[in-house]
Amino acid sequence: MSERKVLNKYYPPDFDPSKIPRMKLAKNRQYTVRLMAPFNMRCATCGEYIYKGKKFNARKEDVENEDYLGIRIYRFYIKCTRCLQEISFKTDPRNTDYEIEAGATRNFMALKLAEEQAKREEEEQKEEEANNPMKLLEYRTEQSKQEIESLENLEELKELNRRQRAVDYEGMLKQYQPETADERRAREEKEDNEFIKSIKFSNPAAKRVVEEIIEEVVDEDSGPSAKSSRIEVAPKKPTDVTKQRTWNKSIGVLSKKPALANLVRSKKESDVQSTTEKSSDNVVSTVANKSNEERSQSTPSATGLSLLADYSGSDSDSQ
């Protein structure tokens, strides 16, 4: 058992290798090798299909009197997996392939046969052109004719493209592409701006102001003319707004109605009836007294504070 693992054998000092008898082997000796089927094949006896890559224990031998540029050609023998029929094929170094010899037929050879046929036709054509100048001339004229036809077809396609140039293909493609985050943000901002522009805000300058207009009423029976006051509401102009602002800055804000609302008391029905009776008796006397006072007293020019007092008094009386 230990001798199996020894690398160096013992040779005695009187060892002579020429005295060892030589075995007489066959000239074309066969070796048993393990291989895979190089292509798909079908057994000619039973019709069994053998796919490419199936493993076999095969016999290998050299092909006598055949080589390619000094490269040896080998022959292999395998057996069918169903009927044990012997199948033989050999190497083909010229085409870097294998060639079936007997026992089976190769499948899926249509493409290879077509390539071989095209190659043979091309070689025959080259030989014919080299030997026959008229054939070469015909081939060249046919080639030039095909080039002219291809150029005409190209011009037609260009003309069709010019007619359809108005169509915006890029815009059509962008229409069906999903929009990015930046494009969506820009679109939303544009929609917001358009919505803001569409809204019509109220004009702050179009406020209303209250004006008091004094009119003189001439009564032929009573004698002297009497002045009556009426209140009108007029739209406020931008110039009036600026004047009001300057007035508020210089003097102060005018008193508003809510501030005076606490000073007004509601009258009862009895008080209202008594006041109406008294007012009817005192109308003539008050008109006369007012006219006499206006004639006798020379009133100074009206100021803003006096107008404010009159205006506030008229409001309280009207209430």
Side-chain angles (χ1 to χ4, degrees):
M1 295 294 291
S2 61
E3 292 181 359
R4 289 171 52 192
K5 298 181 181 179
V6 175
L7 299 176
N8 296 324
K9 303 281 186 181
Y10 173 73
Y11 294 98
D14 57 349
F15 176 72
D16 188 6
S18 61
K19 294 180 181 179
I20 298 173
R22 294 186 174 221
M23 293 178 63
K24 291 183 179 179
L25 300 175
K27 188 177 182 179
N28 192 6
R29 184 184 173 186
Q30 294 182 352
Y31 299 91
T32 303
V33 294
R34 183 80 171 172
L35 59 78
M36 291 187 293
F39 45 77
N40 297 314
M41 64 185 79
R42 185 181 182 186
C43 180
T45 304
C46 63
E48 178 71 13
Y49 286 98
I50 301 171
Y51 58 86
K52 180 181 179 180
K54 188 173 180 60
K55 293 181 180 180
F56 291 94
N57 292 325
R59 292 180 289 111
K60 183 188 81 169
E61 67 178 8
D62 296 338
V63 179
E64 296 179 357
N65 302 325
E66 286 188 25
D67 63 351
Y68 175 72
L69 301 176
I71 300 172
R72 288 185 180 179
I73 297 175
Y74 298 100
R75 183 180 287 111
F76 300 93
Y77 298 96
I78 61 173
K79 290 184 178 180
C80 177
T81 56
R82 186 176 179 183
C83 63
L84 301 178
Q85 172 66 28
E86 192 173 63
I87 301 169
S88 65
F89 56 88
K90 63 180 181 179
T91 59
D92 187 8
R94 182 176 182 178
N95 299 318
T96 62
D97 199 1
Y98 292 85
E99 183 180 354
I100 192 79
E101 282 188 330
T105 57
R106 186 169 179 175
N107 299 333
F108 309 111
M109 289 287 291
L111 181 60
K112 185 178 179 182
L113 294 174
E115 290 176 355
E116 290 177 355
Q117 182 72 18
K119 193 173 181 180
R120 281 197 299 272
E121 289 178 357
E122 187 177 355
E123 290 176 356
E124 290 176 359
Q125 186 177 1
K126 287 180 180 179
E127 290 177 359
E128 192 173 4
E129 288 174 0
N131 298 329
N132 192 355
M134 293 299 294
K135 203 75 174 176
L136 179 63
L137 182 61
E138 289 178 2
Y139 178 69
R140 287 181 179 176
T141 52
E142 188 177 354
Q143 259 188 345
S144 61
K145 187 178 179 180
Q146 290 177 357
E147 289 177 0
I148 291 168
E149 289 178 358
S150 62
L151 288 173
E152 289 177 356
N153 294 332
L154 184 62
E155 289 294 331
E156 289 179 1
L157 291 173
K158 287 182 178 179
E159 185 65 26
L160 289 173
N161 290 333
R162 289 193 199 98
R163 292 176 185 173
Q164 298 177 356
R165 190 173 292 176
V167 180
D168 188 9
Y169 296 104
E170 294 182 358
M172 293 171 65
L173 292 174
K174 287 180 180 179
Q175 186 178 2
Y176 293 101
Q177 288 178 353
E179 61 180 359
T180 60
D182 296 336
E183 292 176 354
R184 185 174 65 256
R185 196 179 300 110
R187 180 176 58 79
E188 290 175 355
E189 289 179 358
K190 186 178 179 182
E191 290 177 357
D192 294 341
N193 293 331
E194 291 178 355
F195 178 71
I196 291 169
K197 289 178 181 178
S198 64
I199 297 173
K200 295 182 180 179
F201 296 97
S202 60
N203 189 4
K207 292 182 178 179
R208 295 184 177 181
V209 295
V210 179
E211 295 182 357
E212 186 177 3
I213 301 172
I214 300 171
E215 295 180 354
E216 291 185 358
V217 180
V218 179
D219 194 357
E220 294 179 355
D221 298 335
S222 62
S225 62
K227 292 183 179 180
S228 64
S229 63
R230 62 188 180 88
I231 297 170
E232 290 185 359
V233 179
K236 199 169 186 179
K237 298 180 181 178
T239 56
D240 298 338
V241 174
T242 55
K243 288 179 181 179
Q244 185 68 25
R245 288 178 182 174
T246 54
W247 175 268
N248 293 337
K249 286 181 181 179
S250 61
I251 295 174
V253 182
L254 297 177
S255 61
K256 298 180 181 179
K257 287 184 179 181
L260 298 174
N262 297 326
L263 301 176
V264 179
R265 291 180 299 175
S266 60
K267 295 181 181 180
K268 298 179 180 179
E269 294 180 358
S270 60
D271 296 337
V272 172
Q273 291 177 359
S274 61
T275 51
T276 52
E277 290 175 358
K278 289 178 181 180
S279 62
S280 62
D281 296 335
N282 297 327
V283 166
V284 178
S285 61
T286 53
V287 171
N289 291 330
K290 283 183 180 180
S291 61
N292 293 327
E293 287 176 0
E294 287 175 357
R295 290 174 184 175
S296 62
Q297 296 178 1
S298 59
T299 58
S301 61
T303 60
L305 294 174
S306 62
L307 290 174
L308 176 62
D310 294 338
Y311 180 70
S312 61
S314 63
D315 289 341
S316 60
D317 293 339
S318 62
Q319 290 178 357

